[in-house]
Amino acid sequence: MPGVLKRKASHADLDDTESSSNAKAIRMAGDGPEMESGQGISHDEKHTNGVLALVNGKYANGAEPIPAPAFSDQDLALTVSGPTQIVPPEIDHITYGYHSLSTLINRLVQDTFGGLGDVLTEMSDLETSQDHGANGQVSNGISMEYANQINIKKKTGLWTFAQDRRAKFIKLLVLSRWSQQAEDIRKLIDLNMWIDGQKRLYKGASDWMGELKRILAPIKIPSPDLGTALEALSVGRISSLPDFGYLPPKRLSAQQLLKALHTINTLLSIRLNLYETIPPPFRDFSIKSGRATFRIPDEFALDLSIADEEPTSQLFFIDFRFLFSPCSNNVPPGRLRDEIEGKCNDVLKRDGLPGCYDYLHDLVLTHKLSVLRSQAHELARGRFSDNLIVETVHRAFVVQYWPNRPGGKNWVEFGVRRGKQKNTTGHDDYSPCIAIRWHAHGKEIPDPAIALDVGDLSMDRILKKIISMHTNRIFTETKKRLREGPIYAKSMLALKHTASKREPVDCALSMQITTSDTVSLQQEPISGAFALQPASPLHTRIERDLNALRDPATEAAVRLVNLRYITTQEKVESNGRSTGWESLKALDTRHETIKRLFAVEISRLLFFQVRRWSSNWLLAWTTSMSGDSWWVIERPADNNSSAFTPSLPLKTAFKIPLIGPRSSILDPSAAILSKLETTASAIISQYIDCRYLRHLQISHRQQPTSRSADQTPIPTLYIRFPPSLMPSKPHASSTSSPSRMWCHEIIKSAIPGLSHKRDATVHLVSGQLITPIPDINALTTKVDSTVTFHPTSGQFAFRIVIPIGKPSIPIIIDRLRRIERLVRFLQFIQKNQLEAGTVSLSRLVFTYATEPTLYVADIGFPTDSSMRIAFDKSNPHLRIQDFLTNMLNANSPLEDILRLLRTTLPILRGFSLIESSSATTSKDDLSIFARSATWYRLRYVKTSSLFEIKLRSRRDEVLWYIQDVSTSKMIKSQRARAEFRNLCTDHGESWRGMRNGIVAEVDGIEELVKKIDETVRMVNNEDPPTEDDATVQPGDRPIVVLD
């Protein structure tokens, strides 16, 4: 390539012949980056029909010029044929993207071999046509037609593969023949690339020089016009400027200036009132100082004036001011003011005042939107960082808040609305205005009623209002859904929504979850996250659930109600354990069982085992939106085990009645749970009593008791006892017919509480006497404290303690019978004017005689044994105590026993006297036998005397009859009988002798007994007994009386 080398050498000699400017341009063009020697220029490979085509350079279409090689002094010193000839450097050779022909042949052969293996595999997968039958059917049932189709597919696939491979090998053949001329083509490509690079260098140098000329144009300072300057300074005029002969106006005086301004004001007033079409917003204008000022509140103020008296002449722009903040009132001189002035004058000339208003109004709206948008960007970079997204859509823009909350997006659109609307004068106004369109959770809120202060623009204030409205909407809907339950609808628990239209941090939803716990739900205005106060681990978990809701307005109420359930359940469990209850988990809590037991909606359920109850009774707590409820659960009794058995089914549930305005949200404190246990124990006892009464077919009813100070009242049981269960047989205290009722048949049984060990219920049973006992106050001080009587009304009451789970009806019936006996006793004591010592349901102590000493009788009637009467050791009635006890158990009236006590007292006292005297003389001489309380025998051993004393009634008078019934033939016995017969003919005070015996009154029997005893002892002391007298005849032996 000698020609090319010579051409390059001629280019190198241009530095001596070109001008300085061209040389500079060439040098600057050659200052580009040098290409390294031997480095190939990158090309994109394009395969077309197997031929490798090269793209000219790395950059297509000359996007970036390829720098020409730089020539160094060493390169210029190289010679070809002699020392005087300069040889340029070798041009670059393109080597990038070249591949050897052997590599291409190897790859095609490998690809052909792999493709042939794939074709054979596909052919083997097809069904083959082998083993044809004689009738045209193959052995496996495949038809001949189907086998032919398979063969055709195999042949077609193999033929297609062969055709494709043949085409590729033909292309390879073409490349192999072309490779014989590859060296010449490579040189041609290298030369073409070098020529293109030189062209780019020349073009780049010319572009650079043009750009340099354009940049230096404003910097060039023209030569000063010294001639014109000298003429102006010396003569004071310039002859080259034309002179039109205008006379300069005279300077106006202050009066003339004021008159001119008045004239302009008059012309403006006439023109604006008569000739101009003033749009409604421009009707508020003023004329002063030669200008008309149009004020649009919260937008702008425009000053216009005239330059001609002609009414059809144009109005001209004077001044413009913004009337809203944050914005400077005056527009400073500059490009903006010049643009506004020029545009206003053009619009005034073309469209007049309406067009000027439309232009300026639209300008102000755009500026307001830009101010709001810039404030939104500042908030997004500052306080609302990562929680506010601002997007511009043409002139409008969108502000998205709470972007990190799940669910639908929340955004506010700010733009210009061009709808028809009423202006302040009541006329239709088509004037555009700034409008806000609000979307909450992806849904547009119609008529959001957001008051936009267009006079004082504040994006922060607008966002606060919108977020406050959004928070209030969520809390209002949540409150509405919470009030669907009776506990909040009936104000059992407090629910308060604190709303604020300006500050979202002041919006809160206060919710009382128990009578002593209140939580406050707030929403953080920046991120929209919910927060519960006061803080606790449970509240943190609920906050996490609330912040994960996609629609908190409709779903937050469920989480808050769940918070109330969990809080109440934890308090019930904690205070229940401190009260002594055991929480039960392994119970039959299937839905069918719960629905059968409670028949109400239940959200939470707890079972407790009260340790003081039997294992077949449980206590249950349920809660729902209707409130909290307490239940008593009965289970079948497990007689085989005393321990709790979880496998037993739940039988019956009884709801514990609660009263008061907050009865459905009872505070689960330890004191309240203790009262609740008392009420539940009472309900168990009354349920068992009612079941016992139903078994006996006794009428009864339960009536709730209203107590203002107690939220857990215990119902009162009223029982109508039939006469058959009241005392129906004559008792020892009966003084009248036994069928007569002594009290009203209605008996009231109330349970005021539990015993001090809390394992038994205390029953307070009361009734009404049919006949009140007068002056009972004198007796009630000595009556047992277990029963009380009202002195005037006749009411009585007694107290019994029954183990929990046991019926009290048998005890009440027994106690009523004993009270009936006590009433009879009290009536008896009062009627006979006795002095009572002790009066109780099991004992009666009274004094039946006072002379010569006090004689006291003690009658006892315990519940588990028969009645008995007791006397002290000195009481003479101790002799007939057994007979009196038999009379009591034989239901003898107390009047008869008292009469008998008083009747037998003298004779028994006489027996005691003669026994005491006999003990001093002859201890074994006298024997006294009581055959009954009214039949006695006196036996004197020494005289063999036997006297029989009996109490008889004659003509309503009680008399003692004494007879001598001895049959002994002893001398002393005969003498004693003779002496007794003498007494029978005698008489004394309260006694008199009869033919065969002596009759004595009650008061005289004691004296008569002593006289008989003295008579017998006198006979016994006259002669000592002989041997015959001492011999006791068989008929004279003492008689033993057997009861």
Side-chain angles (χ1 to χ4, degrees):
M1 300 173 67
V4 175
L5 297 178
K6 288 182 179 179
R7 183 181 177 187
K8 294 296 291 182
S10 64
H11 282 295
D13 296 336
L14 289 176
D15 292 338
D16 299 331
T17 59
E18 291 291 336
S19 63
S20 60
S21 60
N22 292 335
K24 185 185 296 183
I26 291 174
R27 284 195 300 269
M28 294 185 68
D31 290 341
E34 297 182 358
M35 296 182 62
E36 296 180 0
S37 176
Q39 181 179 0
I41 301 174
S42 63
H43 297 274
D44 294 333
E45 294 182 4
K46 295 185 179 179
H47 299 275
T48 306
N49 296 327
V51 182
L52 180 64
L54 301 179
V55 181
N56 296 331
K58 180 179 180 181
Y59 301 94
N61 299 326
E64 184 171 341
I66 300 177
F71 303 122
S72 62
D73 296 339
Q74 184 179 3
D75 295 333
L76 295 176
L78 296 176
T79 60
V80 177
S81 61
T84 59
Q85 212 169 12
I86 301 175
V87 180
E90 185 73 17
I91 64 175
D92 295 328
H93 300 286
I94 306 301
T95 61
Y96 179 78
Y98 278 83
H99 298 281
S100 62
L101 183 62
S102 61
T103 301
L104 183 61
I105 295 174
N106 290 333
R107 290 181 179 177
L108 181 59
V109 170
Q110 292 175 3
D111 183 62
T112 303
F113 180 78
L116 180 60
D118 295 339
V119 170
L120 295 177
T121 302
E122 291 178 0
M123 293 173 62
S124 64
D125 292 338
L126 298 175
E127 294 291 341
T128 59
S129 56
Q130 298 178 356
D131 300 332
H132 294 280
N135 56 355
Q137 297 289 331
V138 294
S139 60
N140 58 353
I142 301 176
S143 64
M144 181 65 71
E145 181 180 359
Y146 180 70
N148 293 334
Q149 292 178 359
I150 294 176
N151 292 332
I152 292 173
K153 287 182 180 180
K154 290 181 180 181
K155 295 177 181 179
T156 303
L158 186 60
W159 181 81
T160 302
F161 174 75
Q163 286 292 103
D164 180 66
R165 295 293 107 180
R166 178 177 178 278
K168 289 186 178 181
F169 276 101
I170 291 175
K171 293 178 181 179
L172 183 62
L173 177 62
V174 173
L175 289 176
S176 63
R177 292 180 179 179
W178 175 83
S179 63
Q180 298 175 1
Q181 303 175 358
E183 184 64 24
D184 296 337
I185 294 175
R186 182 184 64 81
K187 294 179 180 179
L188 181 61
I189 292 173
D190 294 342
L191 182 61
N192 184 53
M193 291 296 297
W194 182 84
I195 294 173
D196 290 340
Q198 294 299 315
K199 290 180 180 179
R200 285 193 292 271
L201 288 176
Y202 283 115
K203 187 177 183 303
S206 62
D207 291 342
W208 179 82
M209 287 188 292
E211 180 66 19
L212 180 63
K213 182 178 180 180
R214 188 186 67 80
I215 294 174
L216 295 178
I219 302 176
K220 182 178 180 181
I221 300 176
S223 300
D225 189 359
L226 299 179
T228 304
L230 181 60
E231 182 182 2
L233 292 175
S234 61
V235 181
R237 61 181 178 82
I238 301 174
S239 58
S240 61
L241 294 178
D243 186 5
F244 297 101
Y246 291 144
L247 298 176
K250 296 181 180 180
R251 186 177 182 85
L252 295 177
S253 63
Q255 290 80 6
Q256 292 175 340
L257 184 60
L258 182 61
K259 183 178 179 180
L261 292 177
H262 282 305
T263 302
I264 296 175
N265 291 341
T266 303
L267 294 175
L268 283 173
S269 178
I270 294 172
R271 182 169 177 174
L272 294 176
N273 287 292
L274 298 179
Y275 298 101
E276 290 291 339
T277 302
I278 301 177
F282 271 0
R283 290 175 183 175
D284 180 17
F285 65 89
S286 62
I287 302 174
K288 184 174 62 174
S289 300
R291 64 180 66 182
T293 303
F294 299 91
R295 295 181 59 86
I296 308 300
D298 299 329
E299 290 193 17
F300 63 90
L302 175 65
D303 293 340
L304 300 178
S305 187
I306 58 176
D308 195 350
E309 296 181 359
E310 180 63 29
T312 59
S313 63
Q314 177 186 351
L315 292 172
F316 289 93
F317 175 89
I318 302 297
D319 195 9
F320 177 80
R321 297 176 299 280
F322 291 110
L323 298 182
F324 63 90
S325 62
C327 185
S328 60
N329 293 335
N330 297 322
V331 180
R335 183 177 178 180
L336 176 61
R337 183 180 177 87
D338 296 341
E339 183 73 21
I340 294 175
E341 182 177 357
K343 185 67 175 178
C344 279
N345 288 330
D346 292 342
V347 173
L348 286 171
K349 182 179 180 179
R350 184 177 63 253
D351 299 327
L353 289 176
C356 180
Y357 168 75
D358 293 339
Y359 165 68
L360 293 178
H361 180 64
D362 191 66
L363 173 66
V364 170
L365 293 181
T366 303
H367 186 47
K368 286 184 177 181
L369 289 176
S370 64
V371 171
L372 290 174
R373 183 168 54 250
S374 63
Q375 291 179 353
H377 282 293
E378 291 179 2
L379 291 176
R381 291 189 298 268
R383 188 158 53 91
F384 281 83
S385 178
D386 298 332
N387 290 284
L388 200 67
I389 300 176
V390 183
E391 296 180 359
T392 303
V393 183
H394 303 294
R395 181 168 59 169
F397 67 97
V398 178
V399 178
Q400 181 185 355
Y401 61 96
W402 299 348
N404 300 322
R405 279 204 59 83
K409 296 182 179 180
N410 308 286
W411 73 88
V412 185
E413 299 178 8
F414 294 86
V416 176
R417 182 171 57 191
R418 300 183 180 275
K420 183 178 179 181
Q421 53 188 322
K422 293 288 184 179
N423 57 16
T424 56
T425 60
H427 301 287
D428 292 339
D429 187 5
Y430 294 88
S431 177
C433 63
I434 294 180
I436 295 177
R437 190 160 57 183
W438 177 27
H439 291 74
H441 300 291
K443 298 180 181 179
E444 183 178 359
I445 306 300
D447 299 329
I450 301 175
L452 181 62
D453 188 2
V454 295
D456 185 11
L457 299 177
S458 175
M459 178 57 69
D460 187 20
R461 187 164 56 246
I462 294 174
L463 283 179
K464 283 184 177 180
K465 290 181 180 179
I466 293 174
I467 293 175
S468 297
M469 294 175 64
H470 195 166
T471 303
N472 289 330
R473 285 175 63 88
I474 294 175
F475 288 169
T476 301
E477 183 65 23
T478 302
K479 180 181 178 181
K480 177 182 177 182
R481 292 179 179 272
L482 287 175
R483 286 191 176 274
E484 292 178 359
I487 55 177
Y488 292 108
K490 298 180 181 180
S491 300
M492 299 178 188
L493 290 176
L495 184 63
K496 180 181 179 182
H497 174 208
T498 303
S500 175
K501 296 182 179 180
R502 298 182 181 272
E503 287 295 336
V505 293
D506 296 336
C507 300
L509 181 64
S510 298
M511 173 184 175
Q512 190 178 13
I513 53 179
T514 64
T515 56
S516 57
D517 296 326
T518 302
V519 297
S520 178
L521 177 64
Q522 292 180 320
Q523 193 170 20
E524 202 273 320
I526 303 298
S527 62
F530 290 99
L532 285 171
Q533 297 294 334
S536 69
L538 175 59
H539 292 175
T540 303
R541 190 176 67 190
I542 299 300
E543 287 176 7
R544 191 162 51 249
D545 295 341
L546 289 173
N547 292 325
L549 297 178
R550 301 184 63 85
D551 188 5
T554 57
E555 300 174 7
V558 178
R559 301 302 189 277
L560 294 177
V561 170
N562 192 34
L563 171 63
R564 196 195 80 83
Y565 294 159
I566 297 175
T567 303
T568 309
Q569 179 178 350
E570 289 180 352
K571 293 189 68 174
V572 169
E573 283 186 311
S574 175
N575 294 331
R577 286 192 296 268
S578 63
T579 309
W581 302 350
E582 179 185 357
S583 180
L584 303 177
K585 304 296 183 182
L587 283 178
D588 182 13
T589 56
R590 291 175 298 178
H591 179 70
E592 297 79 5
T593 304
I594 300 303
K595 186 175 181 180
R596 175 182 58 83
L597 280 177
F598 303 104
V600 294
E601 180 185 358
I602 291 177
S603 300
R604 295 270 175 163
L605 175 63
L606 286 177
F607 289 99
F608 295 97
Q609 172 67 44
V610 182
R611 63 183 180 183
R612 290 169 286 270
W613 295 358
S614 57
S615 60
N616 62 318
W617 291 101
L618 302 178
L619 189 63
W621 169 83
T622 61
T623 185
S624 64
M625 283 297 290
S626 301
D628 303 336
S629 301
W630 290 89
W631 307 76
V632 175
I633 309 296
E634 184 184 12
R635 303 167 69 241
D638 189 4
N639 298 324
N640 298 327
S641 175
S642 59
F644 180 77
T645 307
S647 60
L648 292 178
L650 304 179
K651 185 178 179 181
T652 315
F654 308 97
K655 187 175 182 180
I656 299 177
L658 303 174
I659 63 173
R662 294 188 175 185
S663 59
S664 297
I665 41 92
L666 198 64
D667 184 20
S669 62
I672 294 297
L673 294 186
S674 179
K675 293 182 180 179
L676 199 65
E677 179 184 346
T678 301
T679 304
S681 301
I683 289 177
I684 293 174
S685 297
Q686 287 192 350
Y687 170 74
I688 294 176
D689 287 343
C690 293
R691 185 164 58 186
Y692 191 88
L693 290 172
R694 286 193 297 270
H695 176 71
L696 296 179
Q697 298 182 354
I698 297 177
S699 300
H700 63 279
R701 64 182 175 89
Q702 285 181 292
Q703 181 174 341
T705 304
S706 178
R707 301 179 185 175
S708 59
D710 193 358
Q711 290 183 323
T712 57
I714 301 174
T716 302
L717 180 63
Y718 291 86
I719 309 170
R720 182 188 296 274
F721 281 106
S724 59
L725 291 179
M726 300 299 285
S728 58
K729 59 181 180 177
H731 291 280
S733 59
S734 300
T735 59
S736 59
S737 174
S739 61
R740 179 183 175 184
M741 294 293 294
W742 60 278
C743 69
H744 291 284
E745 59 185 1
I746 300 297
I747 301 299
K748 182 175 70 174
S749 175
I751 303 179
L754 302 180
S755 62
H756 66 282
K757 293 184 179 180
R758 303 186 65 82
D759 58 348
T761 54
V762 178
H763 295 250
L764 183 61
V765 184
S766 60
Q768 177 73 42
L769 296 176
I770 295 178
T771 304
I773 302 175
D775 299 331
I776 198 174
N777 289 331
L779 299 174
T780 54
T781 56
K782 300 177 181 179
V783 176
D784 189 3
S785 60
T786 58
V787 60
T788 58
F789 294 90
H790 195 274
T792 57
S793 64
Q795 290 185 348
F796 65 92
F798 59 90
R799 177 177 171 269
I800 57 176
V801 179
I802 306 297
I804 299 175
K806 301 296 181 180
S808 64
I809 302 303
I811 308 299
I812 292 176
I813 294 175
D814 179 74
R815 188 63 61 90
L816 287 175
R817 289 174 175 173
R818 297 171 64 185
I819 290 178
E820 186 267 344
R821 184 186 302 147
L822 178 61
V823 170
R824 304 299 186 191
F825 287 164
L826 293 176
Q827 293 175 348
F828 163 73
I829 291 174
Q830 193 174 47
K831 178 180 179 182
N832 295 276
Q833 298 180 356
L834 299 177
E835 181 180 352
T838 300
V839 179
S840 67
L841 297 178
S842 60
R843 186 183 180 193
L844 174 62
V845 179
F846 61 93
T847 303
Y848 58 89
T850 58
E851 293 181 359
T853 183
L854 296 178
Y855 294 97
V856 179
D858 186 354
I859 301 177
F861 29 88
T863 58
D864 55 349
S865 61
S866 58
M867 292 186 293
R868 50 117 185 113
I869 188 170
F871 304 96
D872 54 15
K873 295 181 179 180
S874 61
N875 196 310
H877 279 99
L878 190 63
R879 188 184 305 274
I880 60 172
Q881 178 178 344
D882 295 337
F883 298 110
L884 295 175
T885 299
N886 294 334
M887 292 179 65
L888 284 174
N889 293 321
N891 297 322
S892 298
L894 276 180
E895 284 81 357
D896 296 346
I897 295 176
L898 177 62
R899 188 180 303 110
L900 183 61
L901 289 174
R902 290 179 174 177
T903 303
T904 57
L905 179 59
I907 189 172
L908 294 176
R909 193 166 53 228
F911 289 160
S912 298
L913 290 176
I914 62 176
E915 278 184 339
S916 60
S917 62
S918 174
T920 57
T921 56
S922 179
K923 183 176 181 181
D924 300 329
D925 183 40
L926 177 62
S927 298
I928 301 175
F929 302 98
R931 302 192 66 177
S932 68
T934 59
W935 185 6
Y936 305 94
R937 281 190 174 188
L938 300 180
R939 174 69 176 174
Y940 291 92
V941 178
K942 293 182 179 181
T943 60
S944 298
S945 300
L946 181 62
F947 300 96
E948 188 175 69
I949 306 174
K950 290 184 178 181
L951 183 66
R952 295 180 179 178
S953 176
R954 182 174 180 273
R955 296 178 182 178
D956 298 332
E957 184 180 7
V958 178
L959 299 174
W960 289 100
Y961 287 88
I962 303 176
Q963 291 180 338
D964 185 4
V965 293
S966 58
T967 60
S968 176
K969 297 181 179 181
M970 294 176 55
I971 299 174
K972 289 185 177 181
S973 176
Q974 295 177 0
R975 293 181 59 186
R977 283 197 295 270
E979 293 295 332
F980 181 75
R981 284 194 293 269
N982 293 332
L983 288 176
C984 290
T985 60
D986 196 1
H987 64 85
E989 185 177 358
S990 301
W991 64 274
R992 64 181 181 276
M994 299 183 69
R995 183 181 305 174
N996 296 324
I998 304 174
V999 178
E1001 297 178 359
V1002 174
D1003 297 336
I1005 189 61
E1006 182 179 0
E1007 181 183 355
L1008 181 58
V1009 168
K1010 290 191 290 183
K1011 195 171 185 59
I1012 294 174
D1013 181 71
E1014 292 174 355
T1015 302
V1016 175
R1017 292 186 186 280
M1018 180 184 65
V1019 174
N1020 190 27
N1021 293 331
E1022 287 181 354
D1023 296 319
T1026 62
E1027 222 174 82
D1028 296 333
D1029 296 336
T1031 303
V1032 180
Q1033 300 297 327
D1036 297 334
R1037 291 174 180 168
I1039 299 175
V1040 179
V1041 179
L1042 299 177
D1043 292 339

